[in-house]
Amino acid sequence: MAANESDNVVTTNKLMIILRKFDQEGSGTISRSQFEQILRTVLRASSNSDEILYKEEVDEFWAYFSKREDGDVEKSDLVDWILKPSTPLMLTESGNLAFFDLKSALQPLFQAYNQNGDGFICLQEFMDAHGILQIALRMNPTAEEEDPPVLRGDLHNCFVHIGDADKRLTFEKFVRWQRLALIQSALSPDSMTRLLKNVAKQIQRVFKLTSEKHCELTESDRLVLIRILSHLAQFSRELWGAGHFASKGKTFFENKWIPPFVGMNVDHLKEVFLHDFNYSRMRFSAKIVKRDWDILCIPGLPGRHQDWLARARLKNTLRSARFDDERGKQEEDQLEEGHIREVVDEQCYIFDREHFTWALAEESLFEKALEALSPEVKLFAILKTMANFGQRLSWPQLQLALSQAVQLDVISQESAETRT
């Protein structure tokens, strides 16, 4: 017997023993009332005792099972249901049944919808946040499956349906809505929690990017927004889809770490980038007062010759030169809007081993290689780039590296704060 089959047998036996106490007659079946008793008993025993289980939710769960003629379900069917990662019941490492704390997992998403932080989602907030998800799906269509049902339809009607025509959507109603929407998910509780955080974070990024720009978005901002919406579409399909994306098993990361080539150097990349930078976008009367670099070097996708790729982003903060140096230093913080501006440029490169230098490359080449890296290798690449492929990092460099890892969704903000 294979190891996985043996583990499944042990887990099944544990669940059968746990469920035996609810089957007082020893019939080997579970009735509707016994099923609800199991859910409520486990809920009371779980740490999230403030969780509320509604009758509609129990009915929705119960509708999943194939019934016998007497209306009961086989105990073995209930065991199979519990073993599915999408159910509210899960078997802990200690061998006990626990209730998945969906409320805590949904807090970040609720906060992303509730932009003013008053604890209620109004119609406009719902239309803004839910509309972003719908736009992300429309901009990134797929032929593999239909869009998740929860993200289809008219926004106003959807809000009315969830809130029962109330003007404000409470957190309790938000949880009920999402619990029913996530029933068909094939995600484990950990994966579901992670994806909910990712979706919430990307929604917040869209709000921040668009709210900070009172005028038209720059080309760089537009490219960032396109990438955010692409990530949102992927996360949404994984989270609310019918399990097509999440049921593929363990993720295989095609791209692996390879030793950097001789001659690779981040400082040299900066020099190449500055040579290629389009300075015509900056007025000759402007003075650069601050320069911020964001660079990431990664191994390319495996092939006949596996190359190294890099993405370099430079943000120049400019000050109008009509202010002389002395006045500029004195009044830099009090300059009127328009006297200080930022110019952002971004470019991808591939390392030319033959000439020991960096050459321009397509952004799609870098993005595909980055997507195929595991989170652990991404983090290692961030740290190695920050250290210029050396072995030492200063404290400010480490903080910058962790901040970059958060932006790329490699680690959570909480993890970054813990490490610093």
Side-chain angles (χ1 to χ4, degrees):
M1 183 180 293
N4 288 342
E5 293 179 359
S6 178
D7 291 341
N8 288 337
V9 170
V10 172
T11 302
T12 299
N13 289 338
K14 287 182 179 179
L15 287 173
M16 292 295 283
I17 293 173
I18 292 173
L19 297 176
R20 190 179 299 164
K21 64 181 180 180
F22 296 97
D23 178 21
Q24 301 292 339
E25 300 83 10
S27 63
T29 62
I30 296 293
S31 66
R32 166 64 175 74
S33 61
Q34 289 172 330
F35 176 70
E36 183 170 354
Q37 182 188 2
I38 293 171
L39 291 174
R40 298 194 182 282
T41 300
V42 174
L43 175 59
R44 286 194 297 270
S46 300
S47 57
N48 52 319
S49 56
D50 62 332
E51 181 87 47
I52 298 175
L53 189 65
Y54 293 91
K55 180 182 180 299
E56 301 95 303
E57 296 169 333
V58 178
D59 291 339
E60 191 74 30
F61 298 145
W62 184 249
Y64 170 87
F65 302 102
S66 298
K67 314 299 189 302
R68 292 164 22 117
E69 291 184 2
D70 59 5
D72 293 350
V73 300
E74 298 288 345
K75 198 185 300 182
S76 57
D77 289 343
L78 180 57
V79 169
D80 291 339
W81 180 75
I82 294 173
L83 292 176
K84 290 181 178 296
S86 58
T87 61
L89 294 181
M90 58 182 182
L91 189 65
T92 65
E93 294 181 358
S94 59
N96 297 315
L97 273 180
F99 205 87
F100 173 42
D101 188 2
L102 186 61
K103 273 190 174 181
S104 296
L106 284 171
Q107 276 287 355
L109 186 63
F110 181 81
Q111 292 166 3
Y113 275 69
N114 179 213
Q115 283 297 298
N116 64 8
D118 64 355
F120 301 94
I121 300 174
C122 67
L123 174 59
Q124 188 59 55
E125 287 176 328
F126 181 85
M127 295 180 71
D128 289 343
H130 213 62
I132 290 173
L133 297 177
Q134 290 188 341
I135 291 172
L137 293 175
R138 285 198 294 268
M139 289 183 62
N140 299 275
T142 175
E144 297 183 30
E145 71 170 351
E146 294 181 338
D147 290 338
V150 70
L151 296 178
R152 299 181 209 156
D154 178 75
L155 292 170
H156 183 271
N157 290 338
C158 182
F159 179 81
V160 172
H161 175 72
I162 301 166
D164 299 325
D166 288 347
K167 294 182 179 180
R168 300 187 302 177
L169 182 60
T170 65
F171 181 59
E172 292 296 335
K173 290 181 179 179
F174 185 82
V175 172
R176 290 177 61 187
W177 170 54
Q178 281 298 315
R179 189 186 292 285
L180 296 177
L182 293 167
I183 283 178
Q184 298 302 321
S185 170
L187 296 166
S188 67
D190 288 342
S191 297
M192 187 179 293
T193 301
R194 175 181 57 80
L195 277 171
L196 285 167
K197 286 183 179 179
N198 285 340
V199 169
K201 179 181 177 181
Q202 300 304 325
I203 292 175
Q204 295 282 26
R205 289 182 67 190
V206 173
F207 281 137
K208 182 178 180 181
L209 183 64
T210 54
S211 65
E212 288 180 348
K213 304 294 179 179
H214 302 294
C215 53
E216 241 180 80
L217 293 178
T218 65
E219 180 62 17
S220 177
D221 294 331
R222 189 182 69 82
L223 292 175
V224 171
L225 183 59
I226 289 175
R227 282 198 296 273
I228 293 174
L229 293 176
S230 175
H231 291 154
L232 263 178
Q234 177 188 344
F235 295 152
S236 297
R237 291 188 175 106
E238 290 182 17
L239 187 58
W240 291 293
H244 173 82
F245 289 90
S247 61
K248 297 179 181 178
K250 185 178 180 181
T251 304
F252 174 73
F253 295 102
E254 180 183 2
N255 202 1
K256 308 294 182 183
W257 178 265
I258 60 171
F261 300 131
V262 175
M264 281 181 53
N265 186 284
V266 175
D267 293 333
H268 177 56
L269 175 62
K270 291 180 180 179
E271 293 174 0
V272 173
F273 181 92
L274 290 174
H275 180 270
D276 296 333
F277 190 83
N278 184 10
Y279 278 99
S280 63
R281 290 171 50 190
M282 297 189 295
R283 298 173 185 171
F284 289 107
S285 61
K287 178 180 179 181
I288 298 176
V289 295
K290 188 179 179 183
R291 221 172 227 165
D292 294 306
W293 288 96
D294 183 0
I295 296 177
L296 177 59
C297 301
I298 60 172
L301 286 169
R304 184 177 177 185
H305 299 294
Q306 188 171 6
D307 298 302
W308 267 80
L309 303 167
R311 182 179 63 198
R313 184 183 295 119
L314 173 63
K315 181 175 72 174
N316 282 310
T317 303
L318 309 176
R319 183 177 67 222
S320 174
R322 68 191 182 91
F323 290 89
D324 56 37
D325 288 345
E326 182 178 354
R327 184 179 179 186
K329 291 175 182 176
Q330 292 174 347
E331 303 183 12
E332 184 170 336
D333 294 335
Q334 290 81 34
L335 289 178
E336 298 176 5
E337 185 178 355
H339 297 151
I340 291 288
R341 65 191 183 97
E342 294 177 348
V343 175
V344 180
D345 202 31
E346 179 180 317
Q347 186 58 58
C348 293
Y349 291 86
I350 187 170
F351 189 72
D352 184 346
R353 286 179 283 174
E354 183 178 351
H355 299 96
F356 300 102
T357 189
W358 295 92
L360 290 173
E362 293 291 332
E363 181 184 5
S364 59
L365 192 64
F366 178 89
E367 291 293 341
K368 288 178 181 178
L370 181 64
E371 188 69 25
L373 282 174
S374 69
E376 297 81 7
V377 177
K378 284 182 186 177
L379 179 59
F380 188 63
I382 292 171
L383 295 171
K384 293 297 286 186
T385 303
M386 189 64 66
N388 199 8
F389 298 101
Q391 298 181 357
R392 293 186 178 182
L393 280 174
S394 65
W395 180 248
Q397 286 177 320
L398 178 59
Q399 290 179 308
L400 283 174
L402 292 177
S403 176
Q404 188 177 8
V406 171
Q407 293 174 6
L408 291 174
D409 297 321
V410 177
I411 60 174
S412 65
Q413 182 64 46
E414 293 80 1
S415 297
E417 293 171 354
T418 301
R419 287 169 170 79
T420 56

